[in-house]
């Protein structure tokens, strides 16, 4: 019984607690990053430094992984997939940081609910999911995907009236900026963020394939961070040629870099990879709606963001679509488990075992 309790804790409780913590962590990092950029920090500088810090912290990982577990030899397939993972991750970071600059962490958290919908679409394209509209689970996943996309469009294209005014003025709010300019930036930010959350499910799918071939989370995350830091350094040398941009003062910019590197690129990526291998990509995606409430609260309290009606309506629509997809997935998994249990219980015994049983009964 004690063993069953430990197994349940490892398979169910720990992944759940880890993902809730990582969502809080992600929103906090985005909020801190937004505050740092309002003071002039470039996201190119943030990416280079934060990924370099994470790479340094995970430097011992390949040595410990090779000693603790028996791993397959590193071949061209694994190296190329980790390289592809780095390119996808770097592009998603660029899209995400630009999106937050033009909009807010609140919008980023709302549109992040598209991850399960896009995951489902890409899984169908890569034949990891099958479409059969005669099943309720398939109809639910398809309907939820469409609703999630509609909700994201509402959040991106419609602001609406303010529901809550910020208590403190945001440094980014200037009286000379017109409403049309603000709306344009909001839509552009939504476009960048939507692009990011198309790349994130693709990142999940590639990482899942890597984990099947090379199940060493910390080692994979180390090489991923190394590749992204190299790519970011190459681009940053062109986009930020002024050396003064790379000098970090001991203020909120330094805090943002340290939190992003340690809590985000190192810990969060490692935890996400572990949970992804243990529970699958849809389990990781199902915690995204939690980030909306956290982002709304932090944005209004610390960034001077205003809460708009469009954000609330869109977030509700996205959440409905999201949980519809999750309901369909859970029904599908339940059917699969029942089939597996039925097959295991009805497995015929071998003639040798049957003969031994009959011999024992005759005695």
């Amino acid at each position: 019984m004690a063993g069953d309790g430990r197994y349940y804790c490892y398979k169910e409780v720990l992944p759940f607690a880890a993902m809730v913590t990582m969502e809080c962590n992600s929103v906090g990092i985005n909020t801190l990053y937004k505050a740092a950029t309002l003071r002039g920090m470039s996201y190119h500088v943030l990416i280079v430094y934060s990924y370099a810090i994470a790479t340094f912290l995970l430097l011992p990982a390949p040595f410990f992984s090779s000693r603790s577990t028996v791993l397959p030899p590193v071949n061209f397939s694994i190296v190329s997939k980790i390289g592809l993972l780095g390119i996808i991750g770097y592009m998603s970071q660029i899209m995400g940081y630009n999106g937050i600059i033009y909009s807010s962490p609140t919008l980023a958290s709302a549109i992040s609910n598209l991850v399960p919908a896009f995951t489902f679409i890409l899984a169908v394209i890569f034949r990891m999911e099958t479409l059969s509209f005669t099943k309720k689970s398939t109809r639910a996943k398809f309907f939820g995907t469409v609703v999630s996309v509609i909700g994201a469009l509402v959040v991106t294209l419609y602001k609406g009236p303010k529901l809550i005014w910020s208590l403190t003025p945001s440094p980014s709010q200037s009286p000379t900026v017109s409403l049309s300019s603000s709306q344009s930036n909001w839509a552009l930010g939504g476009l960048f963020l939507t692009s990011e959350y198309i790349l994130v499910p693709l990142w999940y799918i590639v990482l899942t394939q890597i984990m099947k071939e090379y199940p060493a989370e910390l080692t994979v995350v180390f090489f991923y961070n190394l590749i992204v830091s190299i790519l970011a350094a190459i681009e940053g040398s062109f986009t930020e040629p002024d050396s003064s941009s790379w000098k970090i003062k001991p203020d909120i910019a330094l805090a943002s870099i340290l939190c992003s590197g340690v809590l985000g690129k190192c810990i969060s990526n490692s935890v996400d990879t572990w949970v992804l291998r243990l529970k699958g990509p849809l389990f990781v995606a199902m915690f995204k709606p939690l980030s909306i409430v956290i982002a709304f609260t932090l944005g209004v309290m610390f960034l001077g963001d205003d809460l708009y009606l469009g954000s609330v309506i869109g977030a509700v629509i996205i959440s409905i679509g999201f949980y519809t997809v999750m309901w369909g997935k859970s029904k599908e998994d339940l059917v699969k488990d029942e089939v597996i249990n039925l097959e295991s219980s009805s497995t015929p015994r071998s003639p040798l075992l049957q003969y031994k049983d009959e011999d024992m009964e005759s005695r």
Side-chain angles (χ1 to χ4, degrees):
M1 294 296 293
D4 292 340
R6 287 194 295 267
Y7 178 80
Y8 178 80
C9 180
Y10 178 76
K11 292 285 289 186
E12 302 296 337
V13 178
L14 283 181
F16 179 86
M19 292 312 303
V20 171
T21 304
M22 290 306 103
E23 281 306 312
C24 298
N25 179 35
S26 176
V27 175
I29 290 173
N30 285 344
T31 304
L32 194 60
Y33 162 73
K34 176 72 174 182
T37 56
L38 294 178
R39 301 208 177 175
M41 186 184 70
S42 168
Y43 68 86
H44 293 286
V45 175
L46 172 70
I47 293 177
V48 173
Y49 284 151
S50 61
Y51 273 98
I53 291 172
T55 303
F56 176 77
L57 292 176
L58 291 172
L59 184 60
F63 304 100
F64 287 107
S65 297
S66 60
R67 291 183 178 182
S68 59
T69 57
V70 179
L71 296 171
V74 177
N75 52 34
F76 177 76
S77 174
I78 295 174
V79 173
S80 60
K81 287 177 181 176
I82 295 178
L84 177 62
L85 190 74
I87 295 173
I88 295 173
Y90 179 59
M91 292 302 299
S92 69
Q93 290 285 302
I94 295 295
M95 296 295 177
Y97 284 132
N98 273 299
I100 294 174
I101 289 174
Y102 285 108
S103 56
S104 70
T106 300
L107 182 63
S109 297
I111 297 184
S112 70
N113 288 274
L114 281 173
V115 169
F118 286 141
T119 302
F120 173 65
I121 294 173
L122 290 175
V124 171
I125 294 174
F126 288 99
R127 301 193 177 187
M128 299 172 69
E129 295 275 354
T130 56
L131 285 177
S132 177
F133 286 99
T134 58
K135 299 179 181 178
K136 286 184 179 180
S137 58
T138 299
R139 293 198 297 268
K141 290 189 292 184
F142 180 79
F143 174 76
T145 301
V146 174
V147 171
S148 297
V149 173
I150 293 173
L153 290 175
V154 171
V155 174
T156 304
L157 301 177
Y158 174 67
K159 260 191 171 182
K162 294 180 182 178
L163 298 180
I164 298 179
W165 278 261
S166 60
L167 300 177
T168 57
S170 170
S172 63
Q173 293 173 344
S174 172
T176 60
V177 178
S178 65
L179 179 61
S180 60
S181 175
S182 177
Q183 284 282 74
S184 175
N185 289 342
W186 188 265
L188 183 59
L191 181 62
F192 277 121
L193 291 169
T194 303
S195 300
E196 177 193 10
Y197 291 115
I198 292 175
L199 292 171
V200 167
L202 189 59
W203 190 85
Y204 285 162
I205 290 174
V206 174
L207 182 57
T208 302
Q209 296 299 319
I210 295 173
M211 285 292 99
K212 290 179 180 179
E213 296 184 40
Y214 198 81
E217 293 89 349
L218 295 180
T219 301
V220 172
V221 174
F222 164 75
F223 284 110
Y224 163 73
N225 287 336
L226 178 63
I227 291 172
V228 175
S229 60
I230 292 174
L231 292 175
I234 294 173
E235 183 183 4
S237 63
F238 293 100
T239 56
E240 299 292 338
D242 188 2
S243 60
S244 61
S245 301
W246 298 89
K247 296 178 181 178
I248 305 301
K249 298 179 181 178
D251 54 10
I252 195 169
L254 179 61
S256 177
I257 290 172
L258 291 176
C259 288
S260 180
V262 178
L263 300 178
K265 316 310 179 196
C266 181
I267 297 178
S268 184
N269 282 348
S270 300
V271 171
D272 285 349
T273 305
W274 170 68
V275 177
L276 191 70
R277 181 175 66 87
L278 200 66
K279 304 290 290 184
L282 282 179
F283 183 88
V284 176
M286 71 183 290
F287 291 88
K288 291 302 179 182
L290 180 65
S291 63
I292 300 176
V293 178
I294 302 171
F296 281 162
T297 305
L298 293 179
V300 172
M301 291 177 59
F302 299 108
L303 292 182
D305 288 344
D306 300 314
L307 181 60
Y308 292 93
L309 178 63
S311 297
V312 176
I313 294 175
V316 170
I317 295 174
I318 290 173
S319 298
I320 292 173
F322 168 82
Y323 284 112
T324 304
V325 173
M326 290 298 103
W327 180 86
K329 185 63 179 175
S330 64
K331 294 290 287 183
E332 193 175 74
D333 292 341
L334 182 62
V335 171
K336 288 180 180 179
D337 291 339
E338 291 177 352
V339 171
I340 293 173
N341 292 333
L342 182 62
E343 290 178 351
S344 61
S345 62
S346 62
T347 302
R349 291 179 298 178
S350 65
L352 180 60
L353 292 176
Q354 185 175 359
Y355 172 78
K356 286 185 177 181
D357 289 344
E358 290 176 354
D359 183 58
M360 291 296 293
E361 288 175 2
S362 65
R363 293 182 182 180

